[in-house]
Amino acid sequence: FLLLTHQWILDPFIQGVDFYPHLVLAAFCSIFSAIYMLYQRQYQAKHKAKEFSITVLSFSLVYLLSILFFVAHLKMGSVGVLLGFIVSNALVALKAFVTNFRHRPMVFCSEKAVHALKYSLPLFPHTISAWFMNLVDRFFIYHFVGAEVGGFAIAFQVAMILDTLTTGVYQAFQPWFFSLFEKKQEDNEE
């Protein structure tokens, strides 16, 4: 959709940011990011806190190293940030496919897909706005300062290490905490 309409919908808001390669790479980022998020939610649902935490830390480390390589070493600026995100998400997506489909074939179930779409489509505007809010600062930096968006992304990623650790631990143990709380409530009712 955006490939055909970007000059009317996006270009007025992102002057100075080339559609090719920036937004095309961003589309790949969203595809791999969705696979990563699904993979992480499986770990949460199965109460696999250790695997969840290892995946979060591995992703963050690969993302940081990729950004350092593409931005600091190859001097690719904002394209390097996007490539770093694609590389880190693609590696996690590859691990997800190998892990999930090693012993069983991948089967498409239209009934489950329709159910998932009914649940997720109302969340789509929220997700798009959250994505936009997360990236809008980079567009402003690019517009007013120029190529410093790569340096900002590196600094932002380094600062996010602590956030990643705390969020990873919280999300890894969240299902376990809820099950303990639920069990305690059931015990109190008896």
Side-chain angles (χ1 to χ4, degrees):
F1 176 74
L2 286 177
L3 289 173
L4 300 173
T5 62
H6 69 88
Q7 60 242 106
W8 302 289
I9 295 175
L10 290 177
D11 290 355
F13 300 105
I14 57 169
Q15 294 173 352
V17 177
D18 297 329
F19 183 78
Y20 301 102
H22 292 92
L23 296 177
V24 173
L25 289 174
F28 281 107
C29 287
S30 64
I31 291 167
F32 288 122
S33 179
I35 295 169
Y36 170 72
M37 296 303 283
L38 286 171
Y39 188 54
Q40 288 298 87
R41 296 308 171 247
Q42 284 181 351
Y43 281 147
Q44 277 185 303
K46 294 177 181 176
H47 298 255
K48 293 186 174 185
K50 181 180 174 183
E51 290 87 349
F52 181 94
S53 299
I54 289 170
T55 305
V56 168
L57 293 174
S58 301
F59 171 82
S60 298
L61 181 64
V62 171
Y63 184 42
L64 179 62
L65 293 175
S66 298
I67 288 177
L68 287 173
F69 177 73
F70 289 121
V71 176
H73 181 67
L74 296 180
K75 310 270 189 250
M76 295 179 75
S78 58
V79 172
V81 173
L82 293 170
L83 286 174
F85 194 70
I86 289 172
V87 166
S88 50
N89 273 299
L91 288 174
V92 172
L94 179 64
K95 182 182 182 292
F97 278 114
V98 169
T99 302
N100 287 325
F101 303 115
R102 175 178 31 187
H103 301 294
R104 60 185 183 267
M106 189 165 72
V107 178
F108 180 78
C109 177
S110 60
E111 183 179 308
K112 288 181 181 180
V114 168
H115 180 72
L117 284 172
K118 283 181 181 178
Y119 176 79
S120 63
L121 280 179
L123 299 173
F124 187 71
H126 168 74
T127 304
I128 294 297
S129 63
W131 179 74
F132 178 76
M133 286 180 7
N134 187 36
L135 294 177
V136 74
D137 55 353
R138 290 165 180 89
F139 287 118
F140 280 114
I141 290 170
Y142 185 82
H143 180 72
F144 290 110
V145 183
E148 290 300 315
V149 73
F152 170 78
I154 291 173
F156 185 81
Q157 188 61 26
V158 170
M160 290 301 295
I161 289 174
L162 183 59
D163 181 64
T164 299
L165 291 172
T166 57
T167 302
V169 169
Y170 169 74
Q171 288 182 344
F173 289 99
Q174 184 181 23
W176 180 69
F177 291 139
F178 284 140
S179 67
L180 281 179
F181 180 73
E182 196 173 274
K183 184 179 181 204
K184 189 172 184 173
Q185 280 187 331
E186 288 173 2
D187 291 343
N188 287 341
E189 290 175 2
E190 292 175 357

